[in-house]
């Protein structure tokens, strides 16, 4: 389906106004902490609250520095441990002015898959990155998926999977291709001449199919023609993801593709352990690595002049129980938190809250203020708010972020 | 007047692509066997296009139908998770290819169900007969017998495991794991979601007190609606271990298997644990508010639940027509269930019935289908003899082992399955039925490599022993021979009528001449063969 077909078929979508088109096109990076994180160990501090473990059980009493504390940085309070998770506070020191923390998000489920659907898709038909890749400013790829978690919905042709091990590299650059077993084939590429001939042959074949098939399969043929153009752009860009084994490298690839004008949106896996049914203490390291990578990302976006045009959303589909289980782990909990940065959003703020039982408090969606007269903050309201902040919206009850 | 008549003439409406017997046979073959037909089959079918029902019967006796059945069942049951089924290669698995073990674990439940289909048994047998099938890898991991002198896959004595079809297949629960707090509910949900098309986890969770003291699953009215159904079903699965982590196995060997639980064979099914539901706070085992004696009676109850055959029908039609099974109209599903019932609930009978429909392989077909990566790889192998395997670890393995031979189009840890449009069964839960850039790149790369293989091997053989290039030599320059050879390629691979003077052949002759002029004849053959192996009509069929 070509973009114009998509737009024609979706009355619920309102693109950015023509006036907005004069400003640089927005970009979206969604980082997903896949597995369900414990907000009380970073974004939603509950130090000293009875019944909420957070990182307390992991303190090394022999190390006076290894203590769980609440750090207040600007208007944002976070859970801090200078030994186990120093990068969290460091991140907010550097970038808190551009950060919005959202607390008390209700997942409506305790199972990974439906929670991930709601986290990534909200009320939409595809995940946030794919939706924005289809609807935002046109780029060859639309969205890129480095997580394998894209929900392409009606726009499978607007999201390119790059492979969790960076397999895209050896499709566009055979020099990085693992050797084939057996001696009859080489890793050499087609070569420019043969590749050009192949492209021309495909184009000519599609043209002949137009005549032979008429209206039959016209949508797929158009998608194929688009895919051919995207593939050529991918070959040209030749993103080297062959050594991408960390979030940091994935984010750098993402920024590179966006800077080159190839991608509008990206979905990236945090590549960290969050689903800690046993040994919840593993999450300290996960948080530390996550925030180091996010700091690098913000730095890179700033250096390239992309920070105010690029909205970074860090989401996790679940929270964790306030208590530790028999294996010192934490199980699924239906209240989670999120972190939004850049994209021209106001920063240095917290939206929503949880009570001492780690249950979300009602908020006024139009202001983000906690109020008894408000409503439960659903994931759908957050994702709707994110799309609205990017200039795409529907009439649903969205959290106002701008 | 003549000009006026021409202007008013009806525009030429192209014939429906599936009106061509060749195109029809290609589609039917891909849907039944997961690969394109041979040149002989195409020629015979063009002469006798009324023979499709008989051909389907013959195809269903071929091994590739079984492979295609497994492809379909994998899409439903999501067992091929080669990037997740990773175990350390220690003890009896020392020196074994880690990827091969992961592949075996994913294949075992499918092999069992394939046997049910190939033997013409009712599909309900996948729940009511002994499900254990093992190769040496599965046997070593789970402690089942395997005779090295026998066939690769064997049905061993399942020991104390209940007779519950796939629900008693150890590797299925290696894929579909549970946790202590989950208390086997995820496995019960597998039954509701994958086998009955009536999943429970999509239902919204009510807001309430979820502390352990509240015991909300039993006391909170908004929770009990689901848990009254889910929890008794979950209680049937006690006996199977929750999961096995790589480091649990490694640690067990580091401790010299003092606790043998996580040494091979894994202590995976423990009959004495079948009453563990009580300790976990679950109600007694049951299904739909009726008590069940054990997993066998549970599986039998699932098999006789009308939703099972309806779900089977939905999933099969959805797979064949590449539509969301849950969106199929009830009337269509009812008709398919009636077809199943009329044929002793045989899945192959429904398969054939759907494939023969005019809306599937006839001129009522609404649009092209997209070739799945598994079928593309199988088609290319059928035609060229080339299967793309790579060695991702040429430097060798660590002590815990690694993969040394990966099937590129059937793997996600190292391979290209999801980039080529497939599912990985864990994160990518459904295939993509639309052309994409990475799908095109993967298809072209496979085509180029297969062409490289075909041209190299063919020109190394006497002409009469070659697969394709029987009419030319690397030194052949004459356009007539080149044209005839290309026409053969079009006929044998694409299923087009043999016509050396067609527009399509002429275009490829131009391609051949261009590349030969700049490089070599051999390179020109690589380009032409690659172009046709990657032809758009190979993707859209």
């Amino acid at each position: 389906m070509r973009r114009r077909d998509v737009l024609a078929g979706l009355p619920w979508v309102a693109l950015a106004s023509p006036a907005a088109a004069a400003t640089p096109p927005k970009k979206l990076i969604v980082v997903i902490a896949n597995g369900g994180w414990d907000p009380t160990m970073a974004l939603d501090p509950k130090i000293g609250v009875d019944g909420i473990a957070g990182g307390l059980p992991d303190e090394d009493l022999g190390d006076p520095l290894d203590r769980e504390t609440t750090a207040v940085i600007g208007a944002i309070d976070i859970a801090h441990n200078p030994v186990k998770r120093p990068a969290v506070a460091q991140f907010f020191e550097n970038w808190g002015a551009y950060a919005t923390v959202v607390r008390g998000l209700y997942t409506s489920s305790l199972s990974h898959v439906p929670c991930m659907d709601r986290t990534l898709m909200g009320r939409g038909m595809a995940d946030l990155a794919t939706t924005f890749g289809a609807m935002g400013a046109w780029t060859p790829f639309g969205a890129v998926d480095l997580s394998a978690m894209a929900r392409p919905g009606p726009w499978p042709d607007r999201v390119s999977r790059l492979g969790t091990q960076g397999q895209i590299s050896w499709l566009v650059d055979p020099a990085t291709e693992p050797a084939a077993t057996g001696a009859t084939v080489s890793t050499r590429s087609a070569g420019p001449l043969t590749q050009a001939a192949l492209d021309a042959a495909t184009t000519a074949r599609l043209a002949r199919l137009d005549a032979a098939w008429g209206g039959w399969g016209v949508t797929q043929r158009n998608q194929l023609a688009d895919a051919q153009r995207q593939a050529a752009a991918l070959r040209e860009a030749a993103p080297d993801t062959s050594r991408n084994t960390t979030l940091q490298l994935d984010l750098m690839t993402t920024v590179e593709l966006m800077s080159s004008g190839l991608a509008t949106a990206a979905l990236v896996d945090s590549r960290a352990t969050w689903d800690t049914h046993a040994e919840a203490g593993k999450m300290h390291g996960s948080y530390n690595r996550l925030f180091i990578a996010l700091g690098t990302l913000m730095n890179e976006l700033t250096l390239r002049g992309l920070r105010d045009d690029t909205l970074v959303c860090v989401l996790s589909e679940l929270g964790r129980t306030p208590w530790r289980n028999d294996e010192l782990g934490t199980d699924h909990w239906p209240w989670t938190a999120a972190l939004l940065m850049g994209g021209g959003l106001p920063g240095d703020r917290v939206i929503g809250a949880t009570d001492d039982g780690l249950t979300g408090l009602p908020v006024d969606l139009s202001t983000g203020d906690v109020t008894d007269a408000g409503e439960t903050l659903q994931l759908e309201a957050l994702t709707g708010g994110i799309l609205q902040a990017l200039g795409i919206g529907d009439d649903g009850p969205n959290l106002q972020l701008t | 007047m003549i000009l006026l008549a021409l202007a008013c003439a009806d525009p030429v409406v192209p014939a429906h692509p599936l009106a061509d017997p060749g195109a029809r046979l290609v589609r039917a073959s891909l849907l039944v066997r997961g690969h394109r037909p041979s040149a002989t089959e195409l020629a015979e079918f063009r002469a006798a296009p009324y023979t499709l029902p008989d051909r389907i019967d013959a195809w269903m006796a071929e091994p590739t139908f079984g492979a295609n059945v497994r492809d379909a069942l994998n899409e439903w049951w999501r067992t091929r998770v080669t990037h997740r089924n990773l175990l350390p290669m220690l003890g009896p698995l020392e020196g074994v290819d880690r990827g091969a073990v992961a592949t075996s674990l994913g294949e075992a439940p499918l092999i069992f169900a394939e046997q049910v289909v190939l033997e013409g048994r009712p599909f309900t047998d996948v729940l009511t007969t002994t499900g254990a099938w093992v190769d040496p890898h599965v046997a070593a991991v789970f402690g089942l017998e395997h005779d090295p002198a026998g066939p690769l896959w064997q049905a061993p004595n399942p020991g104390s495991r209940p007779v519950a079809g796939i629900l008693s297949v150890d590797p299925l629960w290696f894929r579909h794991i549970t946790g202590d707090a989950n208390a086997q509910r995820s496995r019960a949900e597998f039954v509701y979601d994958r086998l009955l098309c009536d999943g429970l986890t999509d239902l919204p969770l009510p807001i309430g007190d979820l502390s352990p003291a509240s015991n909300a699953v039993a006391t909170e009215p908004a929770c009990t609606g689901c848990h009254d159904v889910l929890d008794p079903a979950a209680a049937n699965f006690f006996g199977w271990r929750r999961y096995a982590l790589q480091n649990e196995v490694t640690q067990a060997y580091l401790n010299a298997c003092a606790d043998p639980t996580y040494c091979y064979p894994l202590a995976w099914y423990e009959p004495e644990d079948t009453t563990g539901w009580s300790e976990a706070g679950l109600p007694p085992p049951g299904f739909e508010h009726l008590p069940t004696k054990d997993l066998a009676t549970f599986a039998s109850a699932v098999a006789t639940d009308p939703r099972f055959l309806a779900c089977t029908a939905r999933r099969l039609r959805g797979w064949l027509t590449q539509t969301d099974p849950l969106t199929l109209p009830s009337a269509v599903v009812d008709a398919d269930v009636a077809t199943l019932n009329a044929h002793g609930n045989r899945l192959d009978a429904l398969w054939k019935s759907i494939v023969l429909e005019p809306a599937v392989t006839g001129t009522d077909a609404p649009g092209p289908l997209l070739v799945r990566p598994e079928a593309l790889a199988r088609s290319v192998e059928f035609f060229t003899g080339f299967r793309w395997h790579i060695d991702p670890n040429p430097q060798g393995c660590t002590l815990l082992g690694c993969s040394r031979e990966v099937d590129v189009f059937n793997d996600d840890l190292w391979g290209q399955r999801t980039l080529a449009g497939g599912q990985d069964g864990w994160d990518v839960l459904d295939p993509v039925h639309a052309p994409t850039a990475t799908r095109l790149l993967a298809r072209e790369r496979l085509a180029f490599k297969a062409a490289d293989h075909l041209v190299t091997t063919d020109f190394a053989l006497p002409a009469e022993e070659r697969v394709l290039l029987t009419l030319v030599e690397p030194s052949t320059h004459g356009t007539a021979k080149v044209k005839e050879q290309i026409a053969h390629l079009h006929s044998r691979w694409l299923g087009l009528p043999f016509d050396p003077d067609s527009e399509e052949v002429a275009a490829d002759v131009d391609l051949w001449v261009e590349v030969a002029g700049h490089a070599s004849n051999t390179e020109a053959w690589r380009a032409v063969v690659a172009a046709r192996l990657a032809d758009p009509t190979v993707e859209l069929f």
Side-chain angles (χ1 to χ4, degrees), chain A residues 111-269:
Chain A
S111 298
H112 290 290
V113 172
C115 286
M116 188 63 81
D117 288 345
R118 286 169 186 141
T119 303
L120 295 177
M121 299 166 67
R123 288 186 299 272
M125 294 179 287
D127 67 89
L128 284 169
T130 300
T131 302
F132 190 61
M135 298 295 146
W138 195 92
T139 56
F141 306 147
V144 287
D145 176 24
L146 292 90
S147 72
M149 278 174 277
R151 269 63 172 162
W155 304 296
D157 53 328
R158 296 302 295 146
V159 56
S160 292
R161 298 190 192 280
L162 303 189
T164 53
Q165 303 287 322
Q167 292 96 318
I168 189 65
S169 278
W170 49 281
L171 286 185
V172 297
D173 178 10
T176 62
E177 180 181 307
T181 57
T184 56
V185 291
S186 65
T187 59
R188 66 198 180 84
S189 66
L193 171 70
T194 304
Q195 187 63 58
L198 287 174
D199 288 344
T202 300
T203 303
R205 188 88 173 100
L206 280 172
R208 285 196 297 279
L209 284 181
D210 282 343
W213 285 5
W216 199 73
V218 68
T219 300
Q220 290 91 338
R221 295 203 306 276
N222 286 338
Q223 287 174 327
L224 198 50
D226 283 347
Q228 200 182 3
R229 285 188 283 274
Q230 292 169 357
L234 262 175
R235 277 196 211 95
E236 180 71 23
D240 181 6
T241 55
S242 60
R243 289 176 293 281
N244 277 23
T245 54
T246 65
L247 171 61
Q248 250 171 326
L249 290 172
D250 282 345
L251 290 173
M252 290 307 103
T253 298
T254 299
V255 173
E256 196 59 51
L257 290 170
M258 289 180 168
S259 298
S260 315
L262 293 170
T264 306
L267 179 58
V268 184
D269 181 16

Side-chain angles (χ1 to χ4, degrees), chain A residues 3-353:
Chain A
R3 184 165 175 266
R4 63 172 177 270
D5 303 324
V6 167
L7 299 179
L10 289 168
W12 65 275
V13 167
L15 277 180
S17 67
T23 61
K26 297 271 189 187
K27 300 173 181 64
L28 171 66
I29 299 174
V30 178
V31 178
I32 186 79
N34 177 22
W37 61 14
D38 182 351
T40 67
M41 290 171 74
L43 300 180
D44 193 1
K46 296 289 181 187
I47 315 295
V49 176
D50 280 349
I52 298 187
L56 284 172
D58 310 314
E59 286 181 349
D60 176 0
L61 298 180
D63 180 351
L65 291 178
D66 186 0
R67 292 291 177 271
E68 294 290 324
T69 60
T70 300
V72 180
I73 301 162
I76 300 174
D77 54 326
I78 56 153
H80 175 52
N81 183 309
V83 174
K84 292 194 170 80
R85 310 184 305 277
V88 180
Q90 187 65 56
F91 173 85
F92 283 97
E93 294 281 358
N94 292 340
W95 304 107
Y98 306 96
T100 298
V101 171
V102 184
R103 294 175 183 154
L105 280 164
Y106 191 54
T107 68
S108 295
S109 175
L110 286 170
S111 298
H112 290 290
V113 172
C115 286
M116 188 63 81
D117 288 345
R118 286 169 186 141
T119 303
L120 295 177
M121 299 166 67
R123 288 186 299 272
M125 294 179 287
D127 67 89
L128 284 169
T130 300
T131 302
F132 190 61
M135 298 295 146
W138 195 92
T139 56
F141 306 147
V144 287
D145 176 24
L146 292 90
S147 72
M149 278 174 277
R151 269 63 172 162
W155 304 296
D157 53 328
R158 296 302 295 146
V159 56
S160 292
R161 298 190 192 280
L162 303 189
T164 53
Q165 303 287 322
Q167 292 96 318
I168 189 65
S169 278
W170 49 281
L171 286 185
V172 297
D173 178 10
T176 62
E177 180 181 307
T181 57
T184 56
V185 291
S186 65
T187 59
R188 66 198 180 84
S189 66
L193 171 70
T194 304
Q195 187 63 58
L198 287 174
D199 288 344
T202 300
T203 303
R205 188 88 173 100
L206 280 172
R208 285 196 297 279
L209 284 181
D210 282 343
W213 285 5
W216 199 73
V218 68
T219 300
Q220 290 91 338
R221 295 203 306 276
N222 286 338
Q223 287 174 327
L224 198 50
D226 283 347
Q228 200 182 3
R229 285 188 283 274
Q230 292 169 357
L234 262 175
R235 277 196 211 95
E236 180 71 23
D240 181 6
T241 55
S242 60
R243 289 176 293 281
N244 277 23
T245 54
T246 65
L247 171 61
Q248 250 171 326
L249 290 172
D250 282 345
L251 290 173
M252 290 307 103
T253 298
T254 299
V255 173
E256 196 59 51
L257 290 170
M258 289 180 168
S259 298
S260 315
L262 293 170
T264 306
L267 179 58
V268 184
D269 181 16
S270 69
R271 291 185 183 265
T273 300
W274 303 103
D275 197 18
T276 53
H277 291 283
E279 299 177 53
K282 290 175 186 166
M283 212 175 284
H284 296 289
S286 299
Y287 267 121
N288 208 49
R289 287 190 295 280
L290 171 65
F291 277 91
I292 288 172
L294 293 177
T296 306
L297 171 65
M298 289 300 283
N299 199 46
E300 193 68 20
L301 290 174
T302 303
L303 288 173
R304 294 183 186 234
L306 296 172
R307 188 188 61 218
D308 293 339
D309 307 318
T310 307
L311 179 55
V312 180
C313 306
V314 191
L315 310 171
S316 188
E317 84 274 23
L318 282 160
R320 312 301 300 184
T321 51
W323 60 87
R324 298 272 174 113
N325 61 29
D326 292 345
E327 295 186 86
L328 300 178
T330 47
D331 300 310
H332 299 174
W333 189 249
W335 300 93
T336 187
L339 173 64
L340 312 176
M341 305 174 293
L345 294 187
D348 193 27
R349 62 176 174 162
V350 175
I351 292 175

Side-chain angles (χ1 to χ4, degrees), chain A residues 1-2 154-160 206 217-228 230, chain B residues 322 368-371 419-421 432-441 443 536 539-541:
Chain A
M1 187 180 291
R2 284 180 295 194
W155 304 296
D157 53 328
R158 296 302 295 146
V159 56
S160 292
L206 280 172
V218 68
T219 300
Q220 290 91 338
R221 295 203 306 276
N222 286 338
Q223 287 174 327
L224 198 50
D226 283 347
Q228 200 182 3
Q230 292 169 357
Chain B
Q322 299 183 354
L369 301 172
L370 273 284
V371 69
L419 274 69
V432 169
H433 299 305
T436 67
T438 56
R439 185 181 202 129
L440 183 147
L441 285 166
R443 179 163 48 87
E539 176 150 347
L540 309 176
F541 67 98

